[in-house]
Amino acid sequence: MTTHTQPDAVTDAPDRKLRLVFGASGYIGTHLVPRLMAAGFSVRAAARSPEVLQAREWTGVELVAADALKPETLGAALRDVDTAYYLVHSMAAGRDFGRIDLEAASNFAAAAAAAGVRRIVYLGGLVPPSADTEHIVSRERTGDLLREGIVPVTEIRAGIIVGPGSAAFEVMRDLVFHLPVMITPRWVLAKSPPIALENLMGYLVRAPEVPATEGRILDAAGPEHLTYAEMMRILAEEAGRRPPRIIPVPLLTPRLSSYWLRFVTAVPTPVARALIEGMRQDFIADNTEIHRLMPQELLDFRAAVRAAFEAERRHEIAARWTEGAFAFRDYRPDYAYYAKRASGEAVAKASVEDAWKVVTSIGGGNRYFYMNTLWKIREILDWMVGGAGLSYGRRDPEELRVGDTVDSWRVIAMEPGRRLTLFFGMRAPGSGVLEFELVPEDTGTRIRATAYWHPAGVWGLLYWYALVPAHLFIFAGMTRAIARRAEALARSRNGGTGPDV
């Protein structure tokens, strides 16, 4: 039996053929790609947005843009692939996600067959005997459609995954940290077998190398079946918090309780709602077969939660904002993993160098390029509650480096000519980041400003919703103002003859 510290070691694999992680920008894909690389495999990562993958900064990973709803993009992603991991689901798409999931799976199965893929590994969800919610039925039907193709499929079904970023885990974390008393439907007494992210990664990495997993549906679960109330109690204890008082109310259905989720958790509302609506019954897993085929030491829920918190503490500072990065949450486990965001953008008829010079002049005497009166009001309000809102100035009027203070902001990441990331230093119920990104185009430079907000519970969410209209207005105007200044700088540098792009 292997230990939980080495679940993905592959010592008997006959070769190291190419593995495709389709849906690599998602929660599981983000963790699976580096695990496959560490196990010695060649990896191609595919997602609809290659920019998201580039932010992962994976060394030696081939990145491709592909969309299962656009069959013409799948050929290149699947070319020369031995094993394809299918990690796509569309819960965040809203009410039509079931149809979208089925269309995507059908397209992928056909493309994998045409490309000569040896094996598809699909991560599905546990299916209770009387499954009737669209989320569960869609996950089950997706596996069925993949199996209708000629490529053998290994489907691993998992319930709650315990790790930072897992939607179910993050919903529970937000509830535990920010609701001392919960009036809930009776779903809190339903049982489920949570599995540690570490253990699930071990199964996913090893499954294609075990011939007996071909064509099989295997339940993946930890060693316990726990109620959601029990899981939240353990989570609170491991976080050093008082366990919440939970009051089950029979008449409050999961559907009704899902409507107030947007005011409690930062997990995308369609995802959280689909999860809650699927909690009306017990989820039972029989993990005997998967454990026989791929034995490993299974973490119980308490150990898995402890490992999740430790993984966050070990998270390195990224060169740009990435979802859930601990540093961008001010190293606070009670600040939401998933961020709310608002952005604006404009195109400057100027070079990246000119736009960068303007962006990095932010703060101090230059202020914020647009609607400085609103910035001033926010700074005064912060000062009135004892914050650093009126702490103006910067180390150098033109140069910036990581660690610099810009008024009440702090430079926490920077890629010269590409990206500047500032950490919000005023008092508020959560953690904020403002990131500027420059993208060269034929006509000049696209300037994008995005605010990311990791709320602290209900007050953090209400704070964000109250400011969203102002954010959208300000960032659109700010990027236009930066573009105008960059164009003026280009004209002055060229003697008034126009921008040099």
Side-chain angles (χ1 to χ4, degrees):
M1 179 180 294
T2 59
T3 68
H4 70 264
T5 57
Q6 294 178 314
D8 52 357
V10 180
T11 58
D12 56 350
D15 52 34
R16 293 291 184 267
K17 294 179 180 178
L18 180 62
R19 292 191 172 186
L20 170 69
V21 178
F22 195 82
S25 62
Y27 170 62
I28 295 298
T30 297
H31 288 87
L32 181 59
V33 168
R35 299 296 283 268
L36 290 171
M37 293 290 291
F41 294 99
S42 298
V43 180
R44 177 182 294 156
R48 286 179 297 179
S49 173
E51 293 80 11
V52 175
L53 298 181
Q54 290 165 5
R56 307 296 187 221
E57 299 184 315
W58 290 321
T59 301
V61 177
E62 181 187 354
L63 307 181
V64 297
D67 185 343
L69 296 177
K70 298 178 180 178
E72 67 276 10
T73 68
L74 297 178
L78 288 160
R79 186 177 299 116
D80 300 324
V81 166
D82 175 76
T83 298
Y85 290 91
Y86 189 76
L87 306 175
V88 173
H89 66 77
S90 306
M91 283 192 295
R95 298 183 183 278
D96 204 28
F97 73 83
R99 180 195 61 78
I100 294 173
D101 275 346
L102 300 186
E103 181 182 346
S106 179
N107 291 340
F108 190 84
V117 173
R118 178 181 67 89
R119 181 91 67 94
I120 294 174
V121 178
Y122 166 58
L123 179 61
L126 295 175
V127 181
S130 56
D132 59 357
T133 64
E134 187 174 12
H135 162 51
I136 298 171
V137 171
S138 173
R139 300 294 290 273
E140 181 181 27
R141 183 61 181 136
T142 293
D144 293 339
L145 278 176
L146 291 173
R147 279 185 289 275
E148 288 179 5
I150 65 173
V151 179
V153 176
T154 298
E155 180 176 349
I156 296 177
R157 292 179 173 178
I160 289 178
I161 302 166
V162 186
S166 161
F169 178 74
E170 295 303 334
V171 169
M172 287 194 292
R173 172 163 39 187
D174 288 341
L175 292 173
V176 162
F177 274 105
H178 303 293
L179 284 185
V181 178
M182 300 182 203
I183 299 176
T184 69
R186 297 190 65 84
W187 60 257
V188 296
L189 302 179
K191 288 190 173 184
S192 182
I195 183 169
L197 176 65
E198 179 87 0
N199 292 139
L200 181 61
M201 289 294 108
Y203 288 140
L204 289 172
V205 171
R206 297 182 63 196
E209 304 306 317
V210 179
T213 66
E214 182 176 310
R216 301 288 295 276
I217 299 175
L218 301 167
D219 287 354
E224 306 162 293
H225 279 76
L226 301 173
T227 68
Y228 297 102
E230 290 171 330
M231 284 186 261
M232 286 191 281
R233 175 183 57 79
I234 294 171
L235 199 160
E237 290 171 354
E238 287 301 313
R241 296 294 184 105
R242 182 190 298 274
R245 184 181 181 189
I246 298 174
I247 306 173
V249 178
L251 297 179
L252 185 59
T253 66
R255 177 176 290 274
L256 287 175
S257 67
S258 71
Y259 292 134
W260 48 261
L261 283 172
R262 68 173 62 246
F263 299 107
V264 178
T265 178
V267 173
T269 300
V271 175
R273 181 173 295 146
L275 290 171
I276 293 293
E277 290 180 0
M279 293 177 175
R280 291 180 295 182
Q281 53 196 311
D282 293 340
F283 284 79
I284 305 300
D286 181 358
N287 65 345
T288 305
E289 189 65 5
I290 196 170
H291 194 62
R292 182 185 70 81
L293 295 172
M294 296 174 283
Q296 60 173 304
E297 181 181 337
L298 297 175
L299 299 180
D300 62 22
F301 184 75
R302 187 178 295 276
V305 170
R306 197 173 297 155
F309 288 154
E310 179 59 28
E312 287 187 326
R313 287 190 287 268
R314 293 197 312 265
H315 198 288
E316 297 179 357
I317 297 177
R320 60 172 294 183
W321 180 88
T322 52
E323 191 81 86
F326 207 34
F328 299 146
R329 292 156 54 203
D330 202 20
Y331 301 97
R332 293 280 300 268
D334 55 330
Y335 287 1
Y337 182 97
Y338 289 98
K340 300 297 183 181
R341 64 193 72 187
S343 64
E345 62 179 45
V347 176
K349 294 180 180 179
S351 66
V352 167
E353 291 76 13
D354 289 328
W356 180 252
K357 190 169 185 178
V358 176
V359 167
T360 53
S361 71
I362 191 170
N366 286 317
R367 303 303 289 147
Y368 297 93
F369 313 119
Y370 184 74
M371 295 302 293
N372 286 323
T373 300
L374 291 181
W375 289 100
K376 183 70 172 181
I377 292 172
R378 180 63 182 90
E379 290 165 343
I380 292 173
L381 291 174
D382 185 66
W383 171 79
M384 291 174 65
V385 295
L390 296 183
S391 298
Y392 296 149
R394 41 183 288 165
R395 177 186 58 83
D396 184 277
E398 297 181 356
E399 182 191 52
L400 279 183
R401 62 190 182 197
V402 173
D404 276 359
T405 297
V406 177
D407 300 338
S408 58
W409 301 84
R410 187 174 78 254
V411 180
I412 56 174
M414 184 166 60
E415 297 176 72
R418 295 184 59 192
R419 192 173 291 107
L420 173 66
T421 307
L422 303 174
F423 186 81
F424 184 62
M426 291 192 235
R427 294 194 174 187
S431 174
V433 169
L434 175 59
E435 190 163 81
F436 295 93
E437 184 178 10
L438 304 182
V439 181
E441 296 190 349
D442 292 339
T443 57
T445 302
R446 182 170 298 276
I447 303 162
R448 183 178 298 117
T450 305
Y452 300 97
W453 179 249
H454 295 272
V458 176
W459 294 113
L461 288 164
L462 291 176
Y463 174 87
W464 173 259
Y465 293 136
L467 291 178
V468 164
H471 283 152
L472 296 175
F473 171 69
I474 288 173
F475 295 138
M478 175 190 278
T479 51
R480 289 196 302 268
I482 292 173
R484 288 195 297 268
R485 291 197 184 197
E487 290 166 355
L489 186 61
R491 287 193 297 270
S492 65
R493 184 167 51 79
N494 296 322
T497 60
D500 178 13
V501 295

